[in-house]
Amino acid sequence: MTADRPPLAEGVPDRLYGRRRSHPLRARQQELLDATLPRLRLDAAQAADPRAAFGTPVEALWLEVGFGGGEHALAHVERHPGVGYIASEVFENGLCSLLSRLVAEGEEATGALPPHLRLWPQDARHLLGLLPEGSLDRLFLMFPDPWPKARHAKRRFVNPTLLPLVARALRPGGEWRIATDDPTYQGWVAEVMAGQALFDVPPPATARPEGWPPTRYEAKALREGRRPLYWTLSRRAG
């Protein structure tokens, strides 16, 4: 097991499912990965003391798992300069989408970058195992891949075997925000959370709460007639 891949909980498959790339990268995208990503990348050693990894003092630490196109992450980065924000995504096209918003073409290696943003372009489950206990103030899971087939349920991030790892990384009272428009995943979240004692789980909101930036996936769901649900879970003490 390598330093950036600590062992996962028993029963959690140590395999990352899903795509890393949807089509060949253009020259600009490759330059973003080669020149810009390393300037923001959080490595395993830094994860052991994550607040020290930022280029500015931070008052809180937030993590987004699977940021997709990056609009949700960047909205929070712009609104909360005092928060250290770690955005995790393995899909290269998503990484490029976020990075392209940060630097102009031709400035991939030199353009100014938000000092309170770091990227983790690997499996977020391993990052949770590397972070100090109780280090996160907030965790976001926005419109994750639903893996709708029953035989693929173990691939879902919301999973009974993964909850202790999430709870370990969140401080008592820390928030875990989950949004999904998929009916199967909505039912799955309700089922999994009904059988655990690590988080307080109020009923989900049926409209995006104040302070939750929109995403392209939410917009697509609403256009196609699907109604998202929005959970705000709180890590219990003890």
Side-chain angles (χ1 to χ4, degrees), residues 29-192:
Q29 292 175 310
Q30 191 62 58
E31 183 66 16
L32 289 166
L33 295 181
D34 292 343
T36 312
L37 177 59
R39 300 167 60 206
L40 287 172
R41 185 171 187 148
L42 181 79
D43 63 32
Q46 291 172 321
D49 186 12
R51 295 195 183 204
F54 297 93
T56 186
V58 297
E59 302 165 356
L61 187 66
W62 296 359
L63 168 64
E64 181 169 350
V65 174
F67 61 72
E71 59 271 10
H72 178 271
L74 291 181
H76 277 307
V77 168
E78 292 171 359
R79 297 176 189 178
H80 304 284
V83 169
Y85 202 99
I86 304 173
S88 175
E89 180 60 68
V90 299
F91 187 47
E92 290 183 344
N93 299 84
L95 287 163
C96 292
S97 177
L98 183 150
L99 293 170
S100 68
R101 292 179 168 92
L102 293 176
V103 293
E105 190 165 2
E107 297 182 3
E108 290 82 5
T110 59
L113 296 170
H116 56 295
L117 171 66
R118 291 294 178 265
L119 302 183
W120 179 264
Q122 302 175 71
D123 191 333
R125 300 174 302 169
H126 292 293
L127 175 58
L128 289 172
L130 291 167
L131 291 171
E133 183 174 352
S135 58
L136 290 178
D137 296 278
R138 191 173 293 179
L139 177 70
F140 302 96
L141 183 68
M142 299 288 103
F143 300 91
D145 191 325
W147 295 109
K149 296 181 180 179
R151 68 177 185 272
H152 293 158
K154 65 183 179 181
R155 303 181 183 182
R156 298 169 187 157
F157 189 86
V158 174
N159 194 292
T161 58
L162 196 62
L163 293 186
L165 191 63
V166 175
R168 174 196 162 278
L170 272 171
R171 65 166 176 79
E175 281 188 8
W176 183 6
R177 294 184 179 183
I178 303 171
T180 178
D181 62 287
D182 183 84
T184 298
Y185 208 94
Q186 290 171 350
W188 175 256
V189 172
E191 177 184 341
V192 169

